[in-house]
Amino acid sequence: MTSPPVRLAHERPLRAGSASWLLRVRSVVVALILLAAAVLLMALGMRIGDIPMSVPEVFQAITGDGSNHFVVMELRLPRALTGVLVGAALALAGAITQAIARNPLASPDILGVTTGSSVAVVAAIVAAGSTAGGASGALASVGIPLTALLGGLAGALAVYLLAWRKGLDGYRLVLVGIGVSAVFTNVKYWLLTVGDVTDSSRAMVWISGSLNGRGWEHVVPVALALAVLIPPALVGTRSLGALRFGDDTVTGLGIRMNLARGLMILAAVLLAAVATAAAGPIAFVALAAPQIALRLAGVAQPPLVVSALAGAVLTAAADLAARTLFSPAELPVGVVTAVLGAPYLIYLLIRVRRKGRS
Amino acid sequence: MSTAVVTARPPSPGRPRTATGRRRLAVLAVLLGALLVTIVLSVAIGAKPVPLNDVWHALTGPTGTENDIVVRSLRIPRTAVGVLAGIALGVAGALMQGHTRNPLADPGLLGVTQGAAFAMVLSIMVLGVTSLYGYIWFGLAGALLASVGVFALGMAGGRGAPTPVTLALAGTAVSAFLYALTSALVLMDQQAMDVFRFWQAGSIAGRDPDVVWQVLPFVAAGLVLAMVNAPGLNALSLGEDVARALGQNVTLTRTVGVTAITLLSGASVAACGALAFLGLMVPHLARPLSGPDHRWLLPYSGLIGAAALLGADVVGRMVARPGELEVGVVLALIGAPFFVALVRRRKPVRL
């Protein structure tokens, strides 16, 4: 990967040992604005609840004094943090998937991760309902996230193996993903009919993607996953840049293409599965955030850090909308992201098609 | 399978014809026979097996025995709903694949099912409609809006018919959108949730005998329109310009086609909920037998659709004894590998 020493005026090299990246001023500015927006949206979201507070009161409660310390620190902050972290993880997973599939329409939503998780969790809730008298206690806090994680990995593995045919073709991957997701979806519906109606309602809220009642036990795994997976993902972007050129070029560049691709897909699947385990399948964030980030930053492929921040902003904003639009009733955040995200997918489709024609 | 690729092209004078008139009638007779066999199996097999002479007894001179009641009030309505929905979905799938020239077209994949579902849930919850007669109209309206919407979206931005990928993704997007709206409604009302979950899984079990009579007119009208549409669809498969040059009214043909698709898939959704993949698979099974001529493809697809639906239902009753697996789940388990196989083929299918 020797690149010609051409450098644009607004790019600055960043070196760490043998690795180096080009830092673009516009990306950095966009990232900072998104970070500020995410914090603001979190603060706005934390105002809402049984005890309404103003934004300054929220900050006061975090810094220590005041009677609201417990409410904010134990109930509202974890929920808000789960939202932004899950959004960031989903967006990162989406950015990696889209770069690998070389297709802006690819996302873990379609690739079997989220539907795999959903089936596994519905199965667990329904089974627990009939044998252990309901999904609560240990099962709810440990069992459900673990089940979701394993289900997501299994779903992704199924799609990957079925789409493999002397290599991975982006479109075949997407179509196989749609087929596998359809099976999972139908099995999920069937499981919902097997269970007791209260269990089914609970499962239904979970499979819509909800941040309601999230605590620190949801924050920690997602934060850990992001901390562990972001550094290798950033290193991997260098090979991703090459993957964009097509198989022949990549082989010519001497990168062990399928290994690089496989590892990056694994990272994306882990991120999406951990996020789904924490909050359920929040639809379309993984699809939309990288594309929004790409346009904001003005670059050719989804920038990872900006994508993650865009995902955080998107999820926080959607949750705020879900809680206030039909107040006092609250919708699961996933319903809002699906209602907003589906038209966006359609817009993308039309754009891709226009480009293909010209 | 590979024959589908060949026969799906417009017939050219140089290629030997795959089916003569006599052979076509023979195939029709065989398919009718197969459907009859599955009907008999569907009436005889279940939680309580009914011997064939008891089935006959129930049909010809019922005297109120337990088997008579099971056959007349449970098995026959269930089987009749299955036959109607199977014919409707098979023909609707063939029409959709023909009009879109897209081998992956299917009412379930293209959002039509979720369109009907959303409109029906809305009518039940907001307008308080309770009878099937009341909400089937909403289902049809929802199906129509969704199918027109998906086609329009698939066409937008490009020239001519959408590619399989575009159409499948447009369908997925519309389905996800409508499903989110439906689940938002259902989450606010546990009673609606209880109805919706059974309906979403897709089943022909426990249907009121009246359902058959309520759905029948819609299916019948859809089938008549479908057969009227067949010659026009044959011309359209040569391309819109050629069809126009042959004197076809393309707009009229498309309108009749979409109306037929809406009536057929809307009626089947109202009667048995979401049955995925049946409309996708059946035309691919029928096409090697019929060739590209829609006048034969449509009836073959209808018969195969009904036999396949009843067969899947019987399998669902046998594998999960003493309970049963909803036919929608059985169809998805069979249909998805079929779909994956279609996608994995070296040469993408062209219609």
Side-chain angles (χ1 to χ4, degrees):
Chain A
M1 280 267 294
T2 50
S3 53
V6 178
R7 195 182 300 142
L8 301 173
H10 55 272
E11 292 180 333
R12 299 274 178 280
L14 178 77
R15 296 186 197 284
S18 61
S20 68
W21 293 269
L22 287 177
L23 264 192
R24 298 175 73 258
V25 175
R26 179 169 165 187
S27 298
V28 174
V29 173
V30 167
L32 289 175
I33 293 173
L34 287 173
L35 190 63
V39 171
L40 181 68
L41 285 166
M42 271 176 72
L44 287 176
M46 284 160 69
R47 291 176 55 228
I48 305 169
D50 287 337
I51 312 168
M53 297 177 201
S54 67
V55 172
E57 277 174 323
V58 170
F59 280 109
Q60 235 167 36
I62 294 176
T63 49
D65 49 351
S67 52
N68 296 328
H69 184 70
F70 174 81
V71 172
V72 170
M73 289 305 288
E74 292 304 315
L75 303 176
R76 297 192 186 174
L77 186 60
R79 175 184 179 147
L81 274 177
T82 308
V84 291
L85 291 176
V86 160
L90 286 173
L92 208 53
I96 296 172
T97 318
Q98 291 177 1
I100 288 174
R102 283 182 229 125
N103 186 337
L105 304 170
S107 83
D109 297 332
I110 299 180
L111 299 187
V113 180
T114 37
T115 40
S117 292
S118 303
V119 173
V121 167
V122 173
I125 291 177
V126 167
S130 54
T131 58
S136 57
L139 177 73
S141 58
V142 182
I144 297 249
L146 192 67
T147 312
L149 188 63
L150 293 178
L153 289 175
L157 189 68
V159 171
Y160 192 81
L161 289 179
L162 286 170
W164 182 269
R165 181 173 171 156
K166 297 178 199 151
L168 272 185
D169 170 77
Y171 277 125
R172 195 167 56 229
L173 195 64
V174 171
L175 285 175
V176 168
I178 290 177
V180 171
S181 292
V183 181
F184 285 152
T185 307
N186 268 63
V187 173
K188 181 178 82 189
Y189 292 148
W190 172 63
L191 287 169
L192 285 175
T193 68
V194 173
D196 176 67
V197 71
T198 49
D199 281 331
S200 290
S201 290
R202 188 161 32 212
M204 189 86 178
V205 171
W206 192 89
I207 59 180
S208 305
S210 170
L211 293 170
N212 194 19
R214 293 304 184 269
W216 290 108
E217 73 273 20
H218 298 97
V219 175
V220 175
V222 190
L224 278 179
L226 281 168
V228 171
L229 291 169
I230 284 182
L234 283 176
V235 174
T237 43
R238 282 152 50 90
S239 15
L240 279 185
L243 286 177
R244 226 162 30 91
F245 291 117
D247 291 3
D248 295 342
T249 323
V250 173
T251 317
L253 285 169
I255 291 176
R256 295 177 64 190
M257 182 186 63
N258 285 329
L259 181 69
R261 210 177 263 179
L263 287 176
M264 292 303 281
I265 289 185
L266 185 65
V269 168
L270 282 174
L271 283 166
V274 171
T276 310
I282 300 182
F284 288 112
V285 172
L287 178 93
Q291 293 296 312
I292 293 171
L294 174 147
R295 283 176 183 74
L296 288 177
V299 289
Q301 74 163 333
L304 295 193
V305 174
V306 181
S307 296
L309 288 167
V313 170
L314 215 58
T315 314
D319 194 38
L320 195 59
R323 299 175 71 188
T324 50
L325 280 182
F326 297 98
S327 160
E330 283 194 12
L331 286 177
V333 59
V335 169
V336 174
T337 57
V339 168
L340 295 176
Y344 183 74
L345 172 59
I346 288 159
Y347 158 78
L348 269 183
L349 268 176
I350 295 171
R351 256 184 57 97
V352 168
R353 226 166 118 67
R354 253 196 208 124
K355 227 192 264 170
R357 191 181 57 171
S358 56
Chain B
M1 292 285 282
S2 63
T3 48
V5 180
V6 178
T7 52
R9 289 193 194 123
S12 63
R15 194 173 304 140
R17 299 193 65 105
T18 49
T20 62
R22 189 178 294 178
R23 211 194 116 202
R24 282 171 160 161
L25 285 174
V27 172
L28 199 65
V30 169
L31 292 178
L32 263 173
L35 176 57
L36 278 176
V37 171
T38 54
I39 288 175
V40 171
L41 288 177
S42 171
V43 175
I45 293 174
K48 181 182 197 303
V50 180
L52 284 184
N53 42 352
D54 282 20
V55 173
W56 185 250
H57 179 260
L59 291 178
T60 50
T63 49
T65 64
E66 199 187 335
N67 277 345
D68 284 355
I69 293 167
V70 167
V71 167
R72 292 183 73 91
S73 65
L74 297 176
R75 300 278 173 80
I76 288 182
R78 178 178 191 156
T79 306
V81 168
V83 170
L84 277 180
I87 291 177
L89 283 174
V91 174
L95 277 179
M96 276 186 120
Q97 292 181 7
H99 273 282
T100 59
R101 299 180 75 181
N102 188 323
L104 301 183
D106 164 80
L109 285 172
L110 295 194
V112 179
T113 306
Q114 290 298 340
F118 174 65
M120 282 161 61
V121 168
L122 196 68
S123 76
I124 293 169
M125 286 185 62
V126 178
L127 303 175
V129 179
T130 48
S131 73
L132 179 64
Y133 255 141
Y135 61 68
I136 193 171
W137 293 101
F138 289 91
L140 290 175
L144 180 66
L145 286 176
S147 54
V148 170
V150 170
F151 287 130
L153 291 168
M155 304 286 254
R159 236 187 221 283
T163 66
V165 180
T166 324
L167 208 59
L169 280 168
T172 307
V174 169
S175 288
F177 180 70
L178 293 168
Y179 178 73
L181 291 179
T182 312
S183 56
L185 287 175
V186 170
L187 282 171
M188 294 178 191
D189 181 345
Q190 195 164 61
Q191 211 162 9
M193 165 79 206
D194 206 20
V195 177
F196 178 68
R197 61 188 181 136
F198 281 100
W199 188 86
Q200 192 67 260
S203 170
I204 57 173
R207 292 295 178 271
D208 196 287
D210 286 350
V211 168
V212 178
W213 301 111
Q214 291 177 340
V215 171
L216 185 63
F218 297 96
V219 175
L223 290 177
V224 170
L225 285 181
M227 286 317 288
V228 170
N229 200 223
L233 195 49
N234 283 343
L236 271 180
S237 66
L238 302 170
E240 289 208 354
D241 294 341
V242 179
R244 244 181 229 111
L246 288 172
Q248 276 286 322
N249 183 338
V250 172
T251 316
L252 181 67
T253 311
R254 292 274 190 231
T255 310
V256 172
V258 170
T259 311
I261 292 168
T262 303
L263 284 169
L264 293 169
S265 41
S268 88
V269 170
C272 15
L275 296 174
F277 290 114
L278 188 67
L280 174 85
M281 288 188 285
V282 164
H284 289 281
L285 299 175
R287 219 172 273 121
L289 300 172
S290 68
D293 187 343
H294 285 90
R295 287 172 303 176
W296 291 94
L297 176 63
L298 296 179
Y300 283 11
S301 294
L303 292 175
I304 295 178
L309 179 54
L310 288 184
D313 189 47
V314 169
V315 168
R317 279 184 252 172
M318 287 167 70
V319 291
R321 279 166 183 279
E324 50 180 70
L325 211 54
E326 260 84 2
V327 66
V329 180
V330 179
L331 284 172
L333 291 178
I334 304 169
F338 189 94
F339 176 86
V340 170
L342 265 182
V343 172
R344 275 176 64 90
R345 284 159 68 172
R346 197 191 317 273
K347 273 191 198 159
V349 196
R350 301 245 177 262
L351 287 183

